Amino acid sequence: LSSEPDWASVTLGVFVCQGCSLLHRGIPHISRVKSVQQESWEASEVELMAAMGNEAAKAKYEQKVPAFYYRPKHTDCKLLREQWIRARYERNEFEFIEKQEPYSAGEEGFLWKRGRDNGQFLSRKFILSEREGALKYFSKQEARDPKAVMKIETLNATFQPAKIGNPYGLQITYLRDNSTRNIFVYHSDSKEMVDWFNAIRAARFHYLQVAFPGASDEELVPKLTRSFMKEGFMEKTGPKHTEGFKKRWFTMDDRRLMYFKDPLDAYARGEVFIGSKENSYTVLPGLPPSTQGYHWNHGITIVTPDRKFLFACETEAEQKDWITAFQRVINRPMRPQEYAVEAHFKHKP
């Protein structure tokens, strides 16, 4: 919500930003939106705004939001913001606990999953079980054994509508043999997809409560799911720096920089660990003077204790964005568990 909102819901008594005003218009039976400046108001509407207001509305409509439930930011995709508005004002999920989905009971159902090799989306049965500490999916409806078992310990989920080409597209990642595996899914029902997302967060929350018994909710909630720090195309060359540069899709997931031939590949071609400056990791604009074979002119050099990684960006703006993302990670001291990740890290050339 911006500091000076231009819109208000005159039936709910809350001020909203322009982005949310469009979503409120999608539930006209619950919320009627008016411009603060441009439209005339009834006396009763002004009285409701004075009596309610955003703080009182929050106290009423968000009384019982579970700690793990994702509260979207204005930069999040439309799906998350719309379902958050509907959960609060249409379904009253956080006023009456009995109206909430049993997120902590796990989840079971069918999702459309993208085939690893042919790129086709096929209906697959998924089961999220907290007791087993895993999300599983089955390639055949009657199959006894799952096609994949994804441990909740390394599970992440992030909405990727543009990348997947579906407004309800979710990217699920997990570690297998210390390498990242991607799964791309969607459901035709927007609420169902957000329910899956929050069920994954609930399972992660309860797993972390057991793993870190002294930790507060405030410490655990940021660890439930994470968006990628940055994604996009760059060019890269191999370890000898004599090979030609190849265009690859890069995903920065915390300290893991992964590169793929295609944004929707199941496995990364390679992963690079980005440590901290205390451990001799640095990022520099430009490429070493002798470098050849690149097509894009905006270079980046990442120096690690083992070698230099050379990348090239298409535009100066992209180069700056990537350097900012790398710098943010490099400036952050490494946590003890990150040293273990660094030690196990397998860079695939």
Side-chain angles (χ1 to χ4, degrees), residues 49-295:
M49 294 302 296
M52 181 59 91
N54 288 43
E55 286 306 312
K58 188 172 180 165
K60 178 184 177 185
Y61 293 110
E62 298 179 29
Q63 292 172 46
K64 300 181 172 88
V65 183
F68 57 77
Y69 195 97
Y70 187 75
R71 295 168 178 257
K73 304 181 285 293
H74 69 95
T75 50
D76 279 312
C77 66
K78 180 187 170 191
L79 167 68
L80 278 170
R81 291 182 295 122
E82 182 186 339
Q83 285 303 318
W84 170 239
I85 287 169
R86 287 184 182 274
R88 279 185 298 176
Y89 303 127
E90 186 179 44
R91 299 193 292 269
N92 302 107
E93 280 191 35
F94 312 126
E95 279 185 87
F96 309 101
I97 287 239
E98 64 275 12
K99 294 194 176 185
Q100 274 176 37
E101 293 292 328
Y103 300 107
S104 298
E107 192 84 25
E108 183 173 328
F110 286 85
L111 297 172
W112 293 95
K113 177 194 165 288
R114 187 180 190 273
R116 192 178 79 191
D117 301 318
N118 61 10
Q120 275 187 303
F121 280 89
L122 296 169
S123 180
R124 294 286 180 255
K125 185 181 182 182
F126 280 77
I127 297 175
L128 174 67
S129 167
E130 274 197 30
R131 190 176 50 78
E132 294 178 46
L135 172 66
K136 302 179 288 189
Y137 82 88
F138 300 80
S139 57
K140 294 191 174 61
Q141 205 164 335
E142 64 283 353
R144 302 259 314 262
D145 297 321
K147 184 83 164 61
V149 178
M150 303 162 241
K151 286 197 161 59
I152 285 169
E153 182 185 353
T154 67
L155 204 60
N156 186 40
T158 176
F159 280 100
Q160 295 272 24
K163 187 161 139 186
I164 295 170
N166 183 287
Y168 311 148
L170 186 73
Q171 179 173 349
I172 295 171
T173 61
Y174 65 101
L175 289 184
R176 198 161 93 180
D177 303 327
N178 204 44
S179 291
T180 305
R181 166 86 158 92
N182 294 324
I183 284 183
F184 301 97
V185 297
Y186 71 86
H187 194 286
S188 54
D189 182 276
S190 55
K191 178 183 179 296
E192 183 79 13
M193 203 64 256
V194 175
D195 287 349
W196 269 100
F197 180 63
N198 279 308
I200 288 170
R201 287 176 61 86
R204 292 262 312 144
F205 183 60
H206 298 132
Y207 162 77
L208 290 169
Q209 281 181 315
V210 174
F212 304 100
S216 66
D217 289 359
E218 287 71 26
E219 289 172 286
L220 296 181
V221 166
K223 297 185 171 82
L224 301 186
T225 53
R226 60 194 180 276
S227 299
F228 300 133
M229 294 180 78
K230 176 142 179 71
E231 288 195 287
F233 283 107
M234 288 194 289
E235 293 184 329
K236 69 166 285 294
T237 185
K240 297 192 183 72
H241 301 173
T242 52
E243 309 89 331
F245 277 68
K246 289 180 179 152
K247 182 178 167 184
R248 294 287 180 256
W249 176 265
F250 283 82
T251 297
M252 179 111 178
D253 184 8
D254 200 42
R255 291 196 185 274
R256 283 176 185 264
L257 177 67
M258 299 168 273
Y259 54 90
F260 305 85
K261 199 167 182 182
D262 181 273
L264 295 174
D265 281 349
Y267 293 99
R269 288 295 176 98
E271 304 193 24
V272 181
F273 183 84
I274 311 286
S276 66
K277 59 186 178 193
E278 290 88 352
N279 300 84
S280 308
Y281 288 83
T282 50
V283 57
L284 307 164
L287 299 169
S290 58
T291 313
Q292 293 180 327
Y294 53 88
H295 309 94

